[in-house]
Short mmCIF file of all heavy atoms in Angstrom, two decimals:
data_model
loop_
_atom_site.label_atom_id
_atom_site.label_comp_id
_atom_site.label_asym_id
_atom_site.label_seq_id
_atom_site.Cartn_x
_atom_site.Cartn_y
_atom_site.Cartn_z
N MET R 296 44.63 58.55 -34.30
CA MET R 296 45.90 58.90 -34.95
C MET R 296 45.81 60.32 -35.52
O MET R 296 44.80 60.69 -36.10
CB MET R 296 46.17 57.91 -36.08
CG MET R 296 47.60 57.92 -36.55
SD MET R 296 47.80 56.85 -37.98
CE MET R 296 47.41 57.99 -39.29
N TYR R 297 46.88 61.07 -35.33
CA TYR R 297 46.88 62.43 -35.86
C TYR R 297 47.09 62.44 -37.36
O TYR R 297 48.00 61.79 -37.87
CB TYR R 297 47.98 63.28 -35.19
CG TYR R 297 47.55 63.78 -33.84
CD1 TYR R 297 48.01 63.18 -32.68
CD2 TYR R 297 46.67 64.85 -33.74
CE1 TYR R 297 47.58 63.61 -31.43
CE2 TYR R 297 46.24 65.30 -32.49
CZ TYR R 297 46.71 64.68 -31.35
OH TYR R 297 46.28 65.11 -30.13
N VAL R 298 46.26 63.17 -38.04
CA VAL R 298 46.43 63.39 -39.48
C VAL R 298 47.18 64.71 -39.67
O VAL R 298 48.14 64.80 -40.41
CB VAL R 298 45.06 63.44 -40.20
CG1 VAL R 298 45.22 63.88 -41.64
CG2 VAL R 298 44.39 62.07 -40.13
N CYS R 299 46.74 65.71 -38.94
CA CYS R 299 47.35 67.04 -39.04
C CYS R 299 48.05 67.39 -37.72
O CYS R 299 47.40 67.65 -36.71
CB CYS R 299 46.26 68.06 -39.36
SG CYS R 299 46.90 69.73 -39.54
N ILE R 300 49.36 67.35 -37.76
CA ILE R 300 50.16 67.63 -36.56
C ILE R 300 50.10 69.13 -36.24
O ILE R 300 50.00 69.52 -35.08
CB ILE R 300 51.65 67.25 -36.78
CG1 ILE R 300 51.79 65.84 -37.34
CG2 ILE R 300 52.46 67.41 -35.50
CD1 ILE R 300 51.44 64.73 -36.41
N CYS R 301 50.16 69.96 -37.27
CA CYS R 301 50.18 71.41 -37.04
C CYS R 301 48.95 71.87 -36.28
O CYS R 301 49.03 72.73 -35.42
CB CYS R 301 50.26 72.16 -38.37
SG CYS R 301 51.72 71.82 -39.32
N LYS R 302 47.80 71.31 -36.62
CA LYS R 302 46.55 71.77 -36.02
C LYS R 302 45.94 70.74 -35.07
O LYS R 302 44.79 70.90 -34.63
CB LYS R 302 45.54 72.11 -37.15
CG LYS R 302 45.98 73.26 -38.02
CD LYS R 302 45.94 74.57 -37.23
CE LYS R 302 46.48 75.72 -38.03
NZ LYS R 302 46.50 76.96 -37.27
N ASN R 303 46.72 69.71 -34.75
CA ASN R 303 46.25 68.67 -33.82
C ASN R 303 44.90 68.09 -34.20
O ASN R 303 43.97 68.04 -33.39
CB ASN R 303 46.15 69.22 -32.38
CG ASN R 303 47.50 69.54 -31.82
OD1 ASN R 303 48.49 68.87 -32.13
ND2 ASN R 303 47.56 70.56 -30.99
N VAL R 304 44.79 67.66 -35.44
CA VAL R 304 43.53 67.08 -35.89
C VAL R 304 43.71 65.58 -36.11
O VAL R 304 44.63 65.15 -36.80
CB VAL R 304 43.03 67.74 -37.20
CG1 VAL R 304 41.70 67.16 -37.63
CG2 VAL R 304 42.90 69.25 -37.01
N THR R 305 42.81 64.79 -35.52
CA THR R 305 42.89 63.33 -35.66
C THR R 305 41.96 62.84 -36.76
O THR R 305 41.03 63.56 -37.17
CB THR R 305 42.46 62.65 -34.34
OG1 THR R 305 41.09 62.98 -34.09
CG2 THR R 305 43.32 63.09 -33.18
N CYS R 306 42.18 61.58 -37.20
CA CYS R 306 41.29 61.03 -38.23
C CYS R 306 39.89 60.86 -37.64
O CYS R 306 38.90 60.99 -38.35
CB CYS R 306 41.83 59.75 -38.84
SG CYS R 306 42.35 58.52 -37.70
N HIS R 307 39.82 60.63 -36.34
CA HIS R 307 38.52 60.52 -35.67
C HIS R 307 37.72 61.83 -35.82
O HIS R 307 36.53 61.80 -36.13
CB HIS R 307 38.78 60.20 -34.19
CG HIS R 307 37.54 60.03 -33.39
ND1 HIS R 307 36.77 58.89 -33.46
CD2 HIS R 307 36.94 60.86 -32.50
CE1 HIS R 307 35.74 59.03 -32.64
NE2 HIS R 307 35.81 60.21 -32.05
N GLN R 308 38.39 62.95 -35.62
CA GLN R 308 37.71 64.25 -35.76
C GLN R 308 37.25 64.48 -37.19
O GLN R 308 36.18 65.04 -37.42
CB GLN R 308 38.65 65.38 -35.35
CG GLN R 308 38.85 65.51 -33.86
CD GLN R 308 39.92 66.54 -33.57
OE1 GLN R 308 41.11 66.28 -33.73
NE2 GLN R 308 39.51 67.72 -33.16
N ILE R 309 38.10 64.08 -38.14
CA ILE R 309 37.73 64.26 -39.55
C ILE R 309 36.51 63.40 -39.88
O ILE R 309 35.57 63.86 -40.51
CB ILE R 309 38.92 63.92 -40.49
CG1 ILE R 309 40.06 64.91 -40.25
CG2 ILE R 309 38.49 63.94 -41.95
CD1 ILE R 309 41.32 64.62 -41.03
N ARG R 310 36.53 62.15 -39.39
CA ARG R 310 35.39 61.27 -39.64
C ARG R 310 34.11 61.85 -39.05
O ARG R 310 33.06 61.84 -39.68
CB ARG R 310 35.64 59.87 -39.05
CG ARG R 310 36.23 58.94 -40.07
CD ARG R 310 36.24 57.52 -39.57
NE ARG R 310 37.59 57.02 -39.66
CZ ARG R 310 38.32 56.63 -38.65
NH1 ARG R 310 37.86 56.64 -37.42
NH2 ARG R 310 39.53 56.20 -38.86
N ASN R 311 34.21 62.36 -37.82
CA ASN R 311 33.04 62.97 -37.19
C ASN R 311 32.51 64.14 -38.00
O ASN R 311 31.29 64.30 -38.13
CB ASN R 311 33.38 63.45 -35.77
CG ASN R 311 33.16 62.36 -34.75
OD1 ASN R 311 32.51 61.36 -35.04
ND2 ASN R 311 33.72 62.55 -33.57
N ALA R 312 33.41 64.95 -38.54
CA ALA R 312 32.99 66.10 -39.36
C ALA R 312 32.21 65.61 -40.57
O ALA R 312 31.20 66.19 -40.95
CB ALA R 312 34.20 66.92 -39.78
N VAL R 313 32.67 64.51 -41.17
CA VAL R 313 31.97 63.95 -42.34
C VAL R 313 30.61 63.40 -41.92
O VAL R 313 29.60 63.65 -42.59
CB VAL R 313 32.83 62.87 -43.04
CG1 VAL R 313 32.04 62.18 -44.16
CG2 VAL R 313 34.10 63.48 -43.61
N TYR R 314 30.56 62.72 -40.78
CA TYR R 314 29.27 62.20 -40.29
C TYR R 314 28.30 63.35 -40.03
O TYR R 314 27.10 63.21 -40.16
CB TYR R 314 29.44 61.40 -38.99
CG TYR R 314 30.21 60.12 -39.15
CD1 TYR R 314 31.07 59.67 -38.15
CD2 TYR R 314 30.07 59.34 -40.30
CE1 TYR R 314 31.78 58.49 -38.29
CE2 TYR R 314 30.78 58.16 -40.45
CZ TYR R 314 31.64 57.74 -39.44
OH TYR R 314 32.34 56.58 -39.58
N ASN R 315 28.85 64.51 -39.68
CA ASN R 315 28.00 65.67 -39.40
C ASN R 315 27.71 66.52 -40.63
O ASN R 315 27.23 67.64 -40.51
CB ASN R 315 28.64 66.54 -38.31
CG ASN R 315 28.60 65.85 -36.96
OD1 ASN R 315 27.68 65.10 -36.67
ND2 ASN R 315 29.61 66.09 -36.14
N GLY R 316 28.06 66.01 -41.81
CA GLY R 316 27.64 66.68 -43.03
C GLY R 316 28.74 67.21 -43.94
O GLY R 316 28.45 67.62 -45.05
N ALA R 317 29.98 67.23 -43.47
CA ALA R 317 31.06 67.70 -44.34
C ALA R 317 31.28 66.68 -45.46
O ALA R 317 31.19 65.48 -45.22
CB ALA R 317 32.35 67.87 -43.54
N SER R 318 31.52 67.18 -46.68
CA SER R 318 31.71 66.23 -47.77
C SER R 318 32.92 66.56 -48.63
O SER R 318 33.16 65.94 -49.65
CB SER R 318 30.46 66.19 -48.65
OG SER R 318 30.23 67.46 -49.19
N SER R 319 33.70 67.54 -48.21
CA SER R 319 34.90 67.89 -48.97
C SER R 319 35.96 68.40 -48.01
O SER R 319 35.68 68.70 -46.84
CB SER R 319 34.57 68.99 -49.97
OG SER R 319 34.24 70.17 -49.27
N LEU R 320 37.18 68.50 -48.53
CA LEU R 320 38.26 69.03 -47.72
C LEU R 320 37.93 70.46 -47.27
O LEU R 320 38.23 70.84 -46.15
CB LEU R 320 39.58 69.00 -48.50
CG LEU R 320 40.79 69.49 -47.72
CD1 LEU R 320 41.15 68.50 -46.62
CD2 LEU R 320 41.97 69.74 -48.61
N LYS R 321 37.29 71.19 -48.16
CA LYS R 321 36.94 72.58 -47.83
C LYS R 321 36.02 72.63 -46.60
O LYS R 321 36.23 73.44 -45.69
CB LYS R 321 36.24 73.20 -49.05
CG LYS R 321 36.10 74.69 -48.98
CD LYS R 321 35.62 75.23 -50.32
CE LYS R 321 34.87 76.51 -50.09
NZ LYS R 321 33.49 76.48 -50.54
N ASP R 322 35.03 71.76 -46.57
CA ASP R 322 34.11 71.72 -45.43
C ASP R 322 34.85 71.37 -44.14
O ASP R 322 34.68 72.02 -43.11
CB ASP R 322 33.03 70.64 -45.64
CG ASP R 322 32.11 70.96 -46.79
OD1 ASP R 322 32.08 72.12 -47.22
OD2 ASP R 322 31.42 70.04 -47.26
N VAL R 323 35.70 70.33 -44.24
CA VAL R 323 36.42 69.87 -43.04
C VAL R 323 37.41 70.95 -42.59
O VAL R 323 37.60 71.17 -41.39
CB VAL R 323 37.15 68.54 -43.33
CG1 VAL R 323 38.01 68.10 -42.16
CG2 VAL R 323 36.13 67.45 -43.65
N ARG R 324 37.99 71.62 -43.53
CA ARG R 324 38.96 72.67 -43.20
C ARG R 324 38.29 73.83 -42.46
O ARG R 324 38.83 74.35 -41.50
CB ARG R 324 39.61 73.17 -44.49
CG ARG R 324 40.88 73.96 -44.24
CD ARG R 324 41.35 74.65 -45.49
NE ARG R 324 42.05 73.77 -46.39
CZ ARG R 324 41.97 73.86 -47.72
NH1 ARG R 324 41.18 74.75 -48.29
NH2 ARG R 324 42.65 73.04 -48.46
N GLN R 325 37.11 74.17 -42.90
CA GLN R 325 36.37 75.24 -42.23
C GLN R 325 36.09 74.90 -40.77
O GLN R 325 36.14 75.75 -39.89
CB GLN R 325 35.03 75.47 -42.93
CG GLN R 325 35.10 76.63 -43.89
CD GLN R 325 33.87 76.73 -44.76
OE1 GLN R 325 32.87 76.07 -44.53
NE2 GLN R 325 33.95 77.54 -45.78
N GLU R 326 35.83 73.64 -40.53
CA GLU R 326 35.47 73.21 -39.18
C GLU R 326 36.70 72.97 -38.31
O GLU R 326 36.72 73.35 -37.14
CB GLU R 326 34.66 71.92 -39.30
CG GLU R 326 33.79 71.65 -38.11
CD GLU R 326 32.92 70.43 -38.33
OE1 GLU R 326 32.30 70.31 -39.40
OE2 GLU R 326 32.88 69.59 -37.43
N LEU R 327 37.74 72.35 -38.86
CA LEU R 327 38.86 71.89 -38.03
C LEU R 327 40.20 72.57 -38.33
O LEU R 327 41.18 72.31 -37.63
CB LEU R 327 39.04 70.37 -38.20
CG LEU R 327 37.82 69.49 -37.87
CD1 LEU R 327 38.09 68.06 -38.29
CD2 LEU R 327 37.52 69.53 -36.38
N CYS R 328 40.26 73.41 -39.35
CA CYS R 328 41.50 74.07 -39.76
C CYS R 328 42.57 73.10 -40.25
O CYS R 328 43.76 73.44 -40.30
CB CYS R 328 42.09 74.92 -38.63
SG CYS R 328 41.06 76.29 -38.17
N VAL R 329 42.15 71.89 -40.59
CA VAL R 329 43.11 70.88 -41.06
C VAL R 329 43.79 71.35 -42.35
O VAL R 329 43.14 71.90 -43.23
CB VAL R 329 42.42 69.50 -41.24
CG1 VAL R 329 41.35 69.55 -42.30
CG2 VAL R 329 43.43 68.40 -41.54
N GLY R 330 45.11 71.20 -42.40
CA GLY R 330 45.84 71.53 -43.62
C GLY R 330 46.08 73.02 -43.84
O GLY R 330 46.46 73.41 -44.94
N THR R 331 45.87 73.83 -42.84
CA THR R 331 46.01 75.27 -43.06
C THR R 331 47.39 75.81 -42.72
O THR R 331 47.65 77.00 -42.86
CB THR R 331 44.95 76.06 -42.25
OG1 THR R 331 45.07 75.70 -40.88
CG2 THR R 331 43.56 75.77 -42.74
N GLN R 332 48.28 74.94 -42.27
CA GLN R 332 49.63 75.43 -41.96
C GLN R 332 50.66 74.92 -42.97
O GLN R 332 50.88 75.56 -43.98
CB GLN R 332 50.00 75.08 -40.52
CG GLN R 332 50.99 76.08 -39.95
CD GLN R 332 51.02 76.02 -38.46
OE1 GLN R 332 49.98 75.96 -37.80
NE2 GLN R 332 52.21 76.02 -37.91
N CYS R 333 51.26 73.75 -42.74
CA CYS R 333 52.30 73.29 -43.68
C CYS R 333 51.72 72.62 -44.92
O CYS R 333 52.37 72.53 -45.94
CB CYS R 333 53.27 72.35 -42.98
SG CYS R 333 52.59 70.71 -42.70
N GLY R 334 50.50 72.10 -44.79
CA GLY R 334 49.84 71.48 -45.94
C GLY R 334 50.23 70.04 -46.22
O GLY R 334 49.69 69.41 -47.13
N LYS R 335 51.13 69.48 -45.41
CA LYS R 335 51.59 68.10 -45.66
C LYS R 335 50.50 67.06 -45.43
O LYS R 335 50.58 65.94 -45.93
CB LYS R 335 52.77 67.78 -44.74
CG LYS R 335 54.09 68.31 -45.27
CD LYS R 335 55.23 67.88 -44.37
CE LYS R 335 56.51 68.59 -44.77
NZ LYS R 335 57.43 68.70 -43.64
N CYS R 336 49.53 67.41 -44.64
CA CYS R 336 48.49 66.45 -44.27
C CYS R 336 47.33 66.41 -45.26
O CYS R 336 46.45 65.57 -45.14
CB CYS R 336 47.93 66.82 -42.90
SG CYS R 336 47.25 68.49 -42.92
N VAL R 337 47.32 67.31 -46.22
CA VAL R 337 46.16 67.45 -47.10
C VAL R 337 45.81 66.13 -47.81
O VAL R 337 44.65 65.74 -47.86
CB VAL R 337 46.39 68.59 -48.12
CG1 VAL R 337 45.38 68.57 -49.24
CG2 VAL R 337 46.35 69.94 -47.41
N LYS R 338 46.84 65.45 -48.28
CA LYS R 338 46.61 64.21 -49.01
C LYS R 338 45.95 63.17 -48.09
O LYS R 338 44.97 62.53 -48.47
CB LYS R 338 47.96 63.68 -49.53
CG LYS R 338 47.86 62.61 -50.55
CD LYS R 338 49.22 62.37 -51.20
CE LYS R 338 49.34 60.96 -51.73
NZ LYS R 338 50.04 60.06 -50.82
N ASP R 339 46.49 63.02 -46.87
CA ASP R 339 45.93 62.06 -45.93
C ASP R 339 44.52 62.45 -45.49
O ASP R 339 43.64 61.61 -45.35
CB ASP R 339 46.82 61.95 -44.68
CG ASP R 339 48.15 61.29 -45.02
OD1 ASP R 339 48.22 60.60 -46.06
OD2 ASP R 339 49.11 61.46 -44.24
N ALA R 340 44.32 63.75 -45.27
CA ALA R 340 43.00 64.22 -44.85
C ALA R 340 41.97 63.90 -45.92
O ALA R 340 40.88 63.40 -45.63
CB ALA R 340 43.04 65.72 -44.58
N LYS R 341 42.34 64.14 -47.19
CA LYS R 341 41.44 63.84 -48.30
C LYS R 341 41.08 62.36 -48.33
O LYS R 341 39.95 61.99 -48.59
CB LYS R 341 42.11 64.22 -49.63
CG LYS R 341 41.91 65.66 -50.02
CD LYS R 341 42.46 65.88 -51.43
CE LYS R 341 42.35 67.33 -51.84
NZ LYS R 341 43.19 67.63 -53.01
N GLN R 342 42.10 61.53 -48.07
CA GLN R 342 41.91 60.08 -48.08
C GLN R 342 40.91 59.66 -47.00
O GLN R 342 40.02 58.85 -47.24
CB GLN R 342 43.27 59.39 -47.88
CG GLN R 342 43.25 57.88 -48.01
CD GLN R 342 42.87 57.43 -49.42
OE1 GLN R 342 43.14 58.13 -50.40
NE2 GLN R 342 42.25 56.27 -49.51
N VAL R 343 41.05 60.22 -45.79
CA VAL R 343 40.14 59.90 -44.69
C VAL R 343 38.71 60.32 -45.05
O VAL R 343 37.76 59.58 -44.83
CB VAL R 343 40.58 60.58 -43.37
CG1 VAL R 343 39.55 60.36 -42.27
CG2 VAL R 343 41.94 60.08 -42.92
N ILE R 344 38.57 61.50 -45.65
CA ILE R 344 37.25 61.99 -46.04
C ILE R 344 36.64 61.04 -47.08
O ILE R 344 35.49 60.62 -46.95
CB ILE R 344 37.34 63.42 -46.62
CG1 ILE R 344 37.79 64.40 -45.54
CG2 ILE R 344 36.00 63.86 -47.22
CD1 ILE R 344 38.26 65.75 -46.06
N LYS R 345 37.45 60.67 -48.07
CA LYS R 345 36.98 59.80 -49.14
C LYS R 345 36.51 58.45 -48.57
O LYS R 345 35.43 57.98 -48.88
CB LYS R 345 38.12 59.59 -50.14
CG LYS R 345 37.69 59.15 -51.52
CD LYS R 345 38.87 59.14 -52.47
CE LYS R 345 38.98 57.80 -53.16
NZ LYS R 345 40.30 57.58 -53.76
N GLU R 346 37.35 57.86 -47.72
CA GLU R 346 37.01 56.55 -47.15
C GLU R 346 35.74 56.64 -46.30
O GLU R 346 34.92 55.73 -46.31
CB GLU R 346 38.18 56.04 -46.29
CG GLU R 346 39.29 55.46 -47.12
CD GLU R 346 40.54 55.20 -46.30
OE1 GLU R 346 40.46 55.21 -45.06
OE2 GLU R 346 41.60 54.99 -46.91
N THR R 347 35.61 57.73 -45.55
CA THR R 347 34.43 57.87 -44.69
C THR R 347 33.17 58.03 -45.52
O THR R 347 32.13 57.46 -45.19
CB THR R 347 34.60 59.07 -43.73
OG1 THR R 347 35.88 58.96 -43.10
CG2 THR R 347 33.51 59.08 -42.67
N LEU R 348 33.27 58.77 -46.61
CA LEU R 348 32.11 58.96 -47.49
C LEU R 348 31.69 57.64 -48.13
O LEU R 348 30.50 57.36 -48.26
CB LEU R 348 32.42 60.00 -48.57
CG LEU R 348 32.50 61.45 -48.10
CD1 LEU R 348 33.04 62.33 -49.21
CD2 LEU R 348 31.15 61.96 -47.62
N VAL R 349 32.66 56.80 -48.48
CA VAL R 349 32.37 55.51 -49.10
C VAL R 349 31.69 54.59 -48.09
O VAL R 349 30.76 53.86 -48.41
CB VAL R 349 33.66 54.86 -49.67
CG1 VAL R 349 33.44 53.42 -50.06
CG2 VAL R 349 34.16 55.66 -50.85
N ASP R 350 32.15 54.62 -46.83
CA ASP R 350 31.60 53.77 -45.77
C ASP R 350 30.18 54.15 -45.39
O ASP R 350 29.45 53.36 -44.84
CB ASP R 350 32.47 53.85 -44.50
CG ASP R 350 33.79 53.13 -44.71
OD1 ASP R 350 33.90 52.38 -45.70
OD2 ASP R 350 34.69 53.30 -43.88
N ASN R 351 29.82 55.40 -45.64
CA ASN R 351 28.52 55.90 -45.17
C ASN R 351 27.34 55.27 -45.89
O ASN R 351 27.26 55.25 -47.06
CB ASN R 351 28.44 57.43 -45.32
CG ASN R 351 28.72 58.09 -43.99
OD1 ASN R 351 28.76 57.42 -42.97
ND2 ASN R 351 28.93 59.38 -44.02
FE1 FES E 684 48.38 69.67 -41.32
FE2 FES E 684 50.79 70.79 -41.19
S1 FES E 684 50.24 68.75 -40.74
S2 FES E 684 48.97 71.69 -41.86
#
């Protein structure tokens, strides 16, 4: 499922970034550019990061 429509980023990609060491929105943004356009996805992206960190 797409989290960020502007940058075509899926929750799967965000999860993978966290598995590969990202631990904040800033880290994920550097890797995937998520949330760098309209910003509407930031809340959802943060949620995916948080859930993935808890599951780890
Ligand atoms: Fe992510 Fe617009 S949906 S920046």
Side-chain angles (χ1 to χ4, degrees):
M296 196 185 88
Y297 279 102
V298 171
C299 181
I300 310 291
C301 298
K302 296 291 175 182
N303 292 327
V304 182
T305 63
C306 50
H307 181 76
Q308 285 173 284
I309 295 175
R310 267 190 234 118
N311 272 345
V313 174
Y314 293 144
N315 290 328
S318 61
S319 66
L320 182 69
K321 193 170 153 240
D322 294 343
V323 174
R324 196 191 280 144
Q325 262 171 11
E326 203 175 313
L327 302 171
C328 295
V329 63
T331 55
Q332 208 162 316
C333 75
K335 278 184 189 154
C336 59
V337 167
K338 194 168 154 263
D339 291 340
K341 274 187 183 164
Q342 186 64 30
V343 174
I344 295 165
K345 201 173 128 198
E346 281 169 14
T347 310
L348 287 171
V349 169
D350 288 347
N351 260 349

